[in-house]
Amino acid sequence: YSSADDGTTETTTWILAALARWYFSNGSSLSPFVQGEVGIGNVDLGPSDDDLIRLGVGVGVLQFVTASTAIEALLAYRAASFDESDIDASGFAVELAYSVFW
């Protein structure tokens, strides 16, 4: 979810996505993984709005710090296709995260 106001137009965006991830565990504390995601969302541009579908794939690595916490790095590609407009958006993202497993 994000919201922005430039003084003339207020823009609100939300995306609800599901993520699936496969870990290639080799018995060490370092685990590579691949992931895929699919989501739906909406961009509200004040007088008009546009529905969207977002797809993504990524590869990464997870380094366990303890038995239940890890630091992860991800390189992902995501693409969004909008329903009403002719705009499509896509790009790469680099993400770092701290994960807790229970």
Side-chain angles (χ1 to χ4, degrees), residues 20-82:
R21 192 176 270 184
W22 181 267
Y23 294 95
F24 299 98
S25 180
N26 56 7
S28 73
S29 63
L30 190 68
S31 294
F33 63 86
V34 294
Q35 74 176 34
E37 62 183 90
V38 62
I40 59 170
N42 182 272
V43 178
D44 185 354
L45 301 170
S48 65
D49 71 342
D50 207 351
D51 295 328
L52 66 95
I53 295 175
R54 185 174 92 173
L55 301 173
V57 294
V59 295
V61 64
L62 188 84
Q63 173 66 53
F64 281 95
V65 178
T66 67
S68 60
T69 62
I71 298 171
E72 66 180 61
L74 171 72
L75 174 63
Y77 177 79
R78 295 186 181 104
S81 179
F82 294 87

